[in-house]
Amino acid sequence: MTVPNRLPRTLQEMPPTAAHFCLDVERFLREEPGLDLSGSTIVCAYSGGVDSAVLLTVLNALAPRLGCTVHAAHLDHGLRPESAAEAKHALAFCTALGVPGTARRVDVGARCPNGTGIEEAARKARYNFLTSVQAETGARFIAMGHHLNDLAEDVLMRLTRGSGWPQLGGMRCFDPERGLIRPLLMTPRADIEALARELSLPWVEDASNQDPAYQRNRMRHSLLPLFLKENPNFLQSVASLWRSSRQDREFFDAEVQKQLKTLADPTFLPRPHLTELPAALRLRLYKACLEALGPGQPLADSLNRLETAFTSGEGGKTIQFPGNKQAKVNARGIDFSIEPNAEG
Amino acid sequence: MTVPNRLPRTLQEMPPTAAHFCLDVERFLREEPGLDLSGSTIVCAYSGGVDSAVLLTVLNALAPRLGCTVHAAHLDHGLRPESAAEAKHALAFCTALGVPGTARRVDVGARCPNGTGIEEAARKARYNFLTSVQAETGARFIAMGHHLNDLAEDVLMRLTRGSGWPQLGGMRCFDPERGLIRPLLMTPRADIEALARELSLPWVEDASNQDPAYQRNRMRHSLLPLFLKENPNFLQSVASLWRSSRQDREFFDAEVQKQLKTLADPTFLPRPHLTELPAALRLRLYKACLEALGPGQPLADSLNRLETAFTSGEGGKTIQFPGNKQAKVNARGIDFSIEPNAEG
């Protein structure tokens, strides 16, 4: 896997199909997250894999059109013998594109002495690294290489674990809190690989992507192929579901914000107020009140149990939620709190 | 498979766990579809399989509490050599429960000379049979034996083919147009089989339930087990998703009805009216206008394409929908129609 001295850096240096690919990504960024990237720096997460190789190449070629600056960020997790060589490859790739880049090494294995929780520790280390490069470069955005197949896997995982709607529609293309953007989210993996081949981009394969110990890999290698066999256009179905979830999220968020504005205190929902709402809004208001207390995602099943306790008028009933949160139903309404004993 | 002379006919004749099962079904019927069944006759679809054997037994035991009358209906599709014997078994089962029943035979195979479309022809024959027994008995309702595993398969099939929300949540427990009710929809198949064993109910197995030529069987035998392996509580996740879809359906239906009332003509949506709506309601209004034209379910993907044509202001663009329907976007708004050339 040698990296050529120079890789295509502009739309003009690319064949027409590749240039069109880039313009589709630009259109997606303008239409879906509706972002104006001009004047901003984007940190591009670059693992060395095909997705991030394409992401970096495409963002770099679009940068003059978008009016932004791209900075690559590569983390060597120190988990595989070949990772140090991959970090060198990463810097060579950046040089070939003419993109500034930061490569750093952490020893994720040392943080998981008994070998458990490595996937989660690696995710955290990556996130910390990206936010530190974001701070160092004064970047507004972090771009990730998630594509349409990743989204389909994400939808299946969310379905598996019992996500409600609109969360079931999958990861967002823009997370304003962290400044995360996912420019390739509507692009099938096959198109990404085709572009990498067309532009002769070098990439490395991560063998851990085959390991069935990770749920994501079981989705990729067992479940997703079955759905694609049932419907060869399944990825397009997922894209539609995602678009619809984005619209519904916007709609429900606005409706819930309206409700929250009329409340004196988001930790207490008065019964007369709740009774007037349709159940669809009531449950989402519960969710917003719980999320205002701190981290921890309530699942649809627990929200339904709270709704049943509320509508059946079961006084004194308490429902527990992740993050040590609880909701107490009484005659006056619902009190939300963090359980004092379990805190900290 | 011999049928005893007498099977448990009342809650009093059942052991406590079985009686509780019946009371759970009663509670579901009262809470979810919110139906008052008193004074009405229910035609109970009885195939002879375990689901419908339990459904008939439970509804019969609940009839005095619900104040309704139960009538069993068995169709012999004439597709398997053993089907005539099964029809005899069905009538013996009704006699043992003390339930009046109608058994009829159609030759579904004769309607599909080359053997294709048998599943669809059988479904149609069953539906026609049930509605004719409904008419003959003056019944308001038809009860079907669909349970929580069927619902999970249905959700997976809907996900496969690209259903939008809230349709993705699966089949309804009450279809007011046809009077269909599904009293066992929140009951896992394992509980149904346990009840049948506890009450020593005899049932027949339909070998075609194993045939991977049918998509439903592929869901049952390939996909659903993989989801259950990932999450042993997957059926409860599906139940939560279903409840949430029911609430959202109610909510969106009410919002769309509000919009339709302000319109002079449901075949034309004026642009100024549409522009003011959130996208989430706009798409559901498109769907309602299309459905008002006649049968044919629009998929999420086509509705999204219509939305893109509308918001991008592409004048003169026409989007096609199932049932020969079309939507024409122009400067004034959107016209919905049935394509004259393709009609009839």
Side-chain angles (χ1 to χ4, degrees):
Chain A
M1 141 208 97
T2 49
V3 179
N5 286 335
R6 189 182 168 96
L7 287 165
R9 300 179 179 186
T10 62
L11 295 185
Q12 289 72 28
E13 288 176 57
M14 293 182 183
T17 48
H20 272 113
F21 182 111
C22 296
L23 294 174
D24 283 347
V25 172
E26 180 185 347
R27 185 151 44 106
F28 174 69
L29 280 173
R30 289 197 199 277
E31 283 176 8
E32 286 296 333
L35 286 176
D36 181 6
L37 303 173
S38 62
S40 61
T41 297
I42 303 177
V43 169
C44 180
Y46 173 63
S47 70
V50 64
D51 314 335
S52 59
V54 164
L55 178 67
L56 185 57
T57 306
V58 169
L59 285 182
N60 184 50
L62 288 174
R65 295 176 57 92
L66 297 169
C68 62
T69 306
V70 176
H71 187 101
H74 176 83
L75 186 66
D76 171 1
H77 300 76
L79 287 171
R80 291 173 294 124
E82 61 273 26
S83 69
E86 287 172 11
K88 276 192 191 160
H89 165 93
L91 289 175
F93 191 88
C94 292
T95 305
L97 281 177
V99 175
T102 303
R104 208 162 288 161
R105 184 189 164 90
V106 289
D107 192 350
V108 172
R111 297 180 188 181
C112 308
N114 51 7
T116 58
I118 282 197
E119 196 187 16
E120 180 58 16
R123 203 189 57 76
K124 271 192 189 158
R126 217 156 40 231
Y127 177 67
N128 290 340
F129 166 63
L130 290 171
T131 48
S132 71
V133 178
Q134 185 181 29
E136 291 158 21
T137 58
R140 216 176 118 210
F141 301 105
I142 297 173
M144 313 273 286
H146 296 102
H147 48 62
L148 188 50
N149 294 57
D150 290 324
L151 180 65
E153 292 157 23
D154 189 40
V155 167
L156 296 179
M157 283 197 285
R158 286 169 188 244
L159 179 66
T160 301
R161 68 168 177 258
S163 291
W165 184 260
Q167 293 73 26
L168 182 59
M171 64 181 93
R172 296 196 259 182
C173 64
F174 174 48
D175 173 350
E177 276 173 45
R178 301 188 285 169
L180 274 190
I181 57 173
R182 298 187 170 99
L184 302 179
L185 201 57
M186 291 292 107
T187 310
R189 181 177 171 92
D191 294 4
I192 288 172
E193 291 187 352
L195 186 85
R197 279 191 298 269
E198 190 176 17
L199 297 182
S200 303
L201 303 181
W203 76 84
V204 299
E205 294 287 355
D206 182 347
S208 73
N209 284 342
Q210 303 298 322
D211 187 345
Y214 300 129
Q215 190 184 40
R216 176 169 289 280
N217 292 337
R218 296 194 298 273
M219 298 290 147
R220 181 168 304 167
H221 300 297
S222 304
L223 273 167
L224 186 54
L226 289 172
F227 279 96
L228 285 165
K229 209 169 142 190
E230 293 294 333
N231 177 6
N233 291 319
F234 180 64
L235 292 178
Q236 286 315 311
S237 297
V238 169
S240 287
L241 193 70
W242 179 83
R243 282 182 205 274
S244 160
S245 74
R246 210 183 52 70
Q247 290 155 355
D248 284 2
R249 180 196 293 266
E250 221 166 80
F251 175 69
F252 282 123
D253 281 356
E255 293 291 319
V256 165
Q257 283 309 317
K258 268 188 229 167
Q259 297 300 325
L260 285 176
K261 273 186 195 156
T262 67
L263 291 170
D265 171 9
T267 67
F268 173 65
L269 295 176
R271 189 171 282 273
H273 185 108
L274 285 176
T275 308
E276 276 179 19
L277 291 179
L281 293 186
R282 208 154 47 215
L283 268 101
R284 289 176 174 102
L285 189 54
Y286 302 158
K287 191 164 183 290
C289 291
L290 286 163
E291 283 172 354
L293 289 178
Q297 281 286 321
L299 287 183
D301 189 41
S302 317
L303 292 170
N304 275 327
R305 281 189 290 119
L306 177 55
E307 170 71 358
T308 305
F310 174 75
T311 53
S312 68
E314 291 176 53
K317 184 125 185 177
T318 298
I319 314 280
Q320 305 292 337
F321 291 92
N324 298 325
K325 299 173 203 174
Q326 58 181 18
K328 275 189 194 169
V329 181
N330 57 45
R332 291 168 46 249
I334 306 179
D335 275 305
F336 295 92
S337 61
I338 298 211
E339 211 179 331
N341 297 339
E343 206 175 0
Chain B
M1 136 212 98
T2 51
V3 180
N5 286 334
R6 189 182 167 94
L7 286 166
R9 299 180 180 187
T10 63
L11 295 185
Q12 290 71 28
E13 288 176 59
M14 292 182 184
T17 48
H20 273 114
F21 182 111
C22 295
L23 294 173
D24 283 346
V25 172
E26 180 185 347
R27 186 150 44 104
F28 174 70
L29 281 173
R30 289 198 200 276
E31 282 176 8
E32 287 296 333
L35 285 175
D36 180 7
L37 302 172
S38 64
S40 62
T41 297
I42 303 177
V43 170
C44 180
Y46 173 63
S47 70
V50 65
D51 314 334
S52 61
V54 164
L55 178 67
L56 185 56
T57 305
V58 169
L59 285 182
N60 185 49
L62 288 174
R65 294 175 58 91
L66 297 169
C68 65
T69 306
V70 175
H71 187 102
H74 176 83
L75 186 67
D76 171 1
H77 300 75
L79 287 171
R80 290 173 295 125
E82 60 275 25
S83 70
E86 286 172 12
K88 276 191 192 162
H89 164 92
L91 289 175
F93 191 88
C94 292
T95 305
L97 282 177
V99 174
T102 303
R104 209 162 287 160
R105 183 190 165 89
V106 289
D107 191 350
V108 172
R111 297 180 188 182
C112 308
N114 50 8
T116 59
I118 281 196
E119 196 187 17
E120 179 57 17
R123 203 189 58 77
K124 270 191 191 159
R126 218 156 40 232
Y127 177 66
N128 290 339
F129 166 63
L130 289 171
T131 48
S132 71
V133 177
Q134 186 181 28
E136 289 159 23
T137 58
R140 216 175 117 208
F141 300 105
I142 297 174
M144 314 272 286
H146 297 102
H147 48 63
L148 188 50
N149 295 56
D150 290 325
L151 180 64
E153 292 157 23
D154 190 38
V155 167
L156 296 179
M157 283 198 285
R158 286 170 190 243
L159 179 65
T160 301
R161 70 168 176 258
S163 290
W165 185 259
Q167 293 73 27
L168 182 59
M171 64 180 93
R172 295 197 260 182
C173 64
F174 175 46
D175 173 351
E177 275 173 44
R178 301 186 286 170
L180 274 190
I181 56 174
R182 297 186 170 100
L184 302 179
L185 200 58
M186 290 294 106
T187 311
R189 182 178 170 91
D191 294 3
I192 288 171
E193 291 187 352
L195 185 85
R197 278 191 299 268
E198 188 176 20
L199 298 181
S200 303
L201 302 181
W203 76 82
V204 299
E205 295 286 355
D206 182 348
S208 73
N209 285 341
Q210 303 297 322
D211 187 345
Y214 299 129
Q215 190 185 40
R216 176 169 289 280
N217 293 337
R218 295 194 300 273
M219 298 290 146
R220 181 168 305 168
H221 300 297
S222 305
L223 272 168
L224 186 54
L226 289 173
F227 279 96
L228 285 165
K229 210 169 140 190
E230 294 293 333
N231 177 6
N233 291 319
F234 180 64
L235 292 177
Q236 286 315 311
S237 298
V238 168
S240 287
L241 193 70
W242 178 84
R243 283 183 205 273
S244 159
S245 75
R246 210 183 52 70
Q247 290 155 355
D248 284 2
R249 180 196 293 267
E250 223 166 77
F251 174 70
F252 282 124
D253 281 356
E255 292 292 318
V256 165
Q257 284 309 315
K258 268 189 228 166
Q259 297 302 324
L260 286 175
K261 273 184 193 156
T262 67
L263 292 170
D265 171 7
T267 66
F268 173 65
L269 294 176
R271 188 172 283 271
H273 184 108
L274 285 177
T275 308
E276 276 179 20
L277 290 179
L281 293 185
R282 207 155 48 215
L283 267 100
R284 289 176 173 101
L285 189 54
Y286 302 157
K287 189 163 184 291
C289 291
L290 286 162
E291 283 171 354
L293 289 177
Q297 282 286 320
L299 287 182
D301 189 42
S302 317
L303 292 169
N304 275 328
R305 280 189 290 120
L306 177 54
E307 169 70 359
T308 304
F310 174 75
T311 52
S312 68
E314 292 176 52
K317 183 122 186 179
T318 299
I319 314 279
Q320 305 292 337
F321 291 93
N324 297 327
K325 299 173 202 174
Q326 59 181 18
K328 275 189 194 168
V329 181
N330 56 46
R332 291 168 47 246
I334 307 178
D335 275 304
F336 296 91
S337 60
I338 299 213
E339 211 178 330
N341 295 339
E343 206 176 0

